[in-house]
Amino acid sequence: MKITFINGSRAGDELEYSLSEITIGREDGNILRIPVPGVSRYHAKIWQTGSGQWLLNDQGSTNGVKLNGKRITSTVELTENDEIEIGKQIMRLNGLTGEMPKVIFNPIPSAAAQIPDVPESAEPDFAPGTARVVTPAEQVEGNNAQPLDMLLDSLKGQAGGLFNGKKTAKQQPAAPADTAQPPKIRKSTQLMLCGIAVALLAVLATTILRGVPGCGKSGEGKEKPGYLVIHYVKEEISNNNVFRFVMMLEGDQVTFTIDDIKSKRHFSRKAQVEKESLDILLEQLKRSAIWTMKQPEEARSTSVKMKRQLQLCLSPKLVNFSVEGPYAPAAFEEVESAISILAEGYDLQTISLTSEELNRQAVVCFEKAEDLFNNREGRTENLRNAIVRYQQVVNYLEQFSPPPPMWDAARKRLAEAKKIRQRKLDDLNYEWVRASQIKDLDGLREVLLKTIELTEPSSKEHKIARQRLLKLDVYLRKRNQ
């Protein structure tokens, strides 16, 4: 069996196994170890039956297993080019019918970063005793065989476009002259909106002035339970350097700031935290002993002055700690580990990597991106994987001030690769319209396959193409029966 990583830092990597059973999880005991957020200790299992069929099931994980975008509730049969999603990692399976490979690879060494344990869900999301094999045809709506015209209408959308229902530029009709214009906003409405905006700004200012935002009373005088705010600062001052890392998380908005004089890293990044990552972080904090920890004593003077501050609010709970010196209580370090993992999710290995290690990692990533880009015509997905790696290089190196020359080279390559991909997607859109008009189902299927290989698994285009491919395959199988 061959497993290809579709997304993440290892996008494009391929692994081959000569085993009849592959366990997947974040513990060292698994055959395929994936230390990323959302992966349970023993998450899933793939195995081959005596008749040669490959099966997949969920080992009782917290976040479940998805097959081709849909969560499975029992053991399912796998087919060629199936995609499974475990945590944030998406992988494609190939070689299910071919000869077993001769080489075995273990993708993640035991020294890789650990993901804190996540408690397993106590209740399954399906009724006991109802487990059954879910066939591919049951995973899409409309299991009954459709007439060809109905199928094409459902695939084409409102106007025949590949993604958004739009026709190609040559076929897009001009809008009628008497097309109704959107209604204008009345002056009274504008004044009311201005008043609302002023009120919101006032509320925001009041929140900021309270100190730690979101940790006070709401407008009705009640606590806002479950609202999360983290303000973390780590400072290291030595004879030849000053390092400062700050993370400010409020709700699902996070800001990272880095100042490192020696390595010339001066950087700030804002982002929205994905719900899955936020849920994992909340669970870790709820189980943490930080809420009962006492303020540690001041450390003795050392050559390197280290100070860490943590303001943590999970309303209505609020703690505020200051730790000096290299040693901190276990509960404090547990929260630090969770913050480090969150930062690494945004390519900010600020706590675990030195500037030299970060530069080396960027070099390796850039060389892999260049190899994928130069071989983009060999495999369609190489272009997408090159884009992912160029973006990682940009994220790594833009932390430095000024950024090294490789940063600018990666930015230019990234822009070039995105233009090429967009041109290919536009060509596929023309081909989609043409194949739809002449009812060429094989042509439509080829367009969908190439679209899936070109687009990111999290993108709207990728999800639409995959759902349409499933629907088309169901129709073709039933037609050929």
Side-chain angles (χ1 to χ4, degrees):
M1 171 186 287
K2 180 186 293 184
I3 298 178
T4 304
F5 288 80
I6 303 301
N7 64 335
S9 60
R10 307 188 68 213
D13 289 353
E14 295 181 350
L15 310 170
E16 294 187 59
Y17 296 92
S18 61
L19 302 173
S20 60
E21 179 177 302
I22 301 171
T23 56
I24 306 174
R26 71 170 186 271
E27 286 290 313
D28 284 340
N30 291 283
I31 301 299
L32 176 54
R33 185 167 176 270
I34 307 179
V36 300
V39 178
S40 298
R41 291 175 298 170
Y42 300 96
H43 200 113
K45 182 174 72 171
I46 300 173
W47 75 98
Q48 189 177 30
T49 65
S51 60
Q53 294 177 319
W54 285 94
L55 304 178
L56 166 71
N57 74 351
D58 186 347
Q59 298 285 81
S61 65
T62 301
N63 297 301
V65 179
K66 291 182 180 179
L67 176 65
N68 297 323
K70 291 188 176 293
R71 183 165 180 170
I72 65 173
T73 57
S74 60
T75 301
V76 296
E77 182 179 351
L78 296 170
T79 58
E80 196 73 8
N81 292 317
D82 273 347
E83 290 186 1
I84 60 174
E85 183 175 349
I86 295 178
K88 290 185 175 182
Q89 185 63 61
I90 301 176
M91 298 167 286
R92 181 179 298 123
L93 307 179
N94 298 105
L96 302 183
T97 57
E99 182 182 354
M100 287 287 189
K102 299 291 190 296
V103 185
I104 304 175
F105 294 88
N106 194 350
I108 303 295
S110 60
Q114 298 287 333
I115 300 295
D117 190 17
V118 180
E120 305 298 323
S121 176
E123 298 181 2
D125 58 355
F126 57 95
T130 60
R132 59 187 178 85
V133 175
V134 182
T135 64
E138 292 175 306
Q139 295 178 355
V140 294
E141 297 180 359
N143 291 334
N144 296 327
Q146 306 176 57
L148 180 56
D149 290 339
M150 292 178 60
L151 173 70
L152 292 174
D153 288 342
S154 67
L155 293 178
K156 288 189 295 184
Q158 297 178 349
L162 180 54
F163 305 123
N164 53 9
K166 295 181 180 180
K167 289 187 177 180
T168 60
K170 296 179 180 179
Q171 298 171 328
Q172 184 69 35
D178 58 349
T179 301
Q181 299 295 324
K184 296 182 178 180
I185 301 177
R186 295 180 180 178
K187 187 173 182 180
S188 58
T189 305
Q190 293 176 347
L191 293 175
M192 180 182 67
L193 292 175
C194 289
I196 294 175
V198 171
L200 289 174
L201 289 174
V203 172
L204 179 61
T206 303
T207 302
I208 294 174
L209 290 175
R210 276 202 302 261
V212 180
C215 290
K217 302 284 184 178
S218 65
E220 298 177 355
K222 299 178 180 179
E223 295 285 356
K224 297 181 288 184
Y227 193 79
L228 176 64
V229 177
I230 301 177
H231 183 220
Y232 172 78
V233 180
K234 179 180 180 181
E235 293 180 340
E236 294 184 45
I237 303 176
S238 62
N239 295 331
N240 60 353
N241 191 30
V242 174
F243 172 84
R244 192 170 191 265
F245 170 75
V246 181
M247 189 194 82
M248 181 66 199
L249 171 69
E250 181 178 2
D252 63 350
Q253 301 296 317
V254 65
T255 302
F256 299 100
T257 304
I258 302 169
D259 289 293
D260 190 348
I261 294 177
K262 184 178 180 180
S263 60
K264 299 181 179 179
R265 297 169 68 191
H266 306 285
F267 180 76
S268 181
R269 177 179 297 165
K270 296 181 179 180
Q272 182 174 5
V273 183
E274 296 179 1
K275 183 180 184 302
E276 183 180 4
S277 298
L278 193 60
D279 290 343
I280 294 174
L281 180 61
L282 282 169
E283 188 62 39
Q284 292 170 342
L285 294 177
K286 288 177 181 178
R287 296 187 293 111
S288 173
I290 194 71
W291 309 106
T292 57
M293 190 184 96
K294 296 181 179 180
Q295 177 65 44
E297 298 179 357
E298 293 186 5
R300 298 176 182 178
S301 59
T302 59
S303 58
V304 178
K305 295 182 179 179
M306 179 184 293
K307 184 176 182 180
R308 290 167 282 180
Q309 294 177 313
L310 175 66
Q311 291 175 300
L312 175 60
C313 166
L314 186 57
S315 58
K317 299 179 181 179
L318 174 64
V319 293
N320 188 349
F321 292 109
S322 178
V323 177
E324 294 186 1
Y327 305 105
F332 192 93
E333 291 183 341
E334 182 183 4
V335 175
E336 280 190 315
S337 176
I339 291 173
S340 178
I341 292 172
L342 184 65
E344 289 178 6
Y346 296 91
D347 295 325
L348 295 174
Q349 285 83 346
T350 56
I351 300 175
S352 59
L353 295 182
T354 65
S355 58
E356 292 79 10
E357 291 172 331
L358 198 59
N359 269 301
R360 286 197 296 269
Q361 191 162 321
V363 170
V364 172
C365 198
F366 184 79
E367 290 175 351
K368 179 66 174 179
E370 288 282 83
D371 182 59
L372 291 168
F373 182 78
N374 293 329
N375 292 279
R376 61 186 181 275
E377 300 301 331
R379 297 179 61 180
T380 306
E381 61 191 25
N382 282 353
L383 180 61
R384 181 198 64 203
N385 293 331
I387 290 174
V388 172
R389 294 189 183 258
Y390 283 132
Q391 185 63 65
Q392 287 178 329
V393 176
V394 171
N395 291 344
Y396 289 153
L397 299 182
E398 68 181 349
Q399 303 175 35
F400 296 90
S401 180
M406 185 182 292
W407 172 78
D408 192 51
R411 278 197 319 133
K412 292 178 180 178
R413 280 293 206 190
L414 177 62
E416 181 183 359
K418 285 184 175 180
K419 286 182 180 179
I420 294 174
R421 179 170 66 176
Q422 187 57 53
R423 186 165 63 246
K424 288 180 177 292
L425 289 174
D426 291 341
D427 291 342
L428 288 173
N429 192 55
Y430 282 113
E431 181 61 23
W432 174 266
V433 174
R434 186 199 67 79
S436 299
Q437 292 173 344
I438 64 174
K439 300 181 180 180
D440 178 8
L441 298 186
D442 290 335
L444 290 175
R445 193 175 189 279
E446 185 66 21
V447 169
L448 292 173
L449 287 172
K450 289 183 178 180
T451 301
I452 290 171
E453 292 176 344
L454 276 174
T455 52
E456 294 299 324
S458 59
S459 67
K460 177 182 177 182
E461 292 87 351
H462 185 97
K463 294 176 181 178
I464 291 175
R466 177 153 291 280
Q467 290 299 319
R468 287 178 174 175
L469 179 62
L470 287 171
K471 187 179 294 186
L472 180 59
D473 283 347
V474 169
Y475 174 83
L476 291 174
R477 280 197 298 270
K478 291 191 174 183
R479 189 189 65 174
N480 296 331
Q481 286 178 354

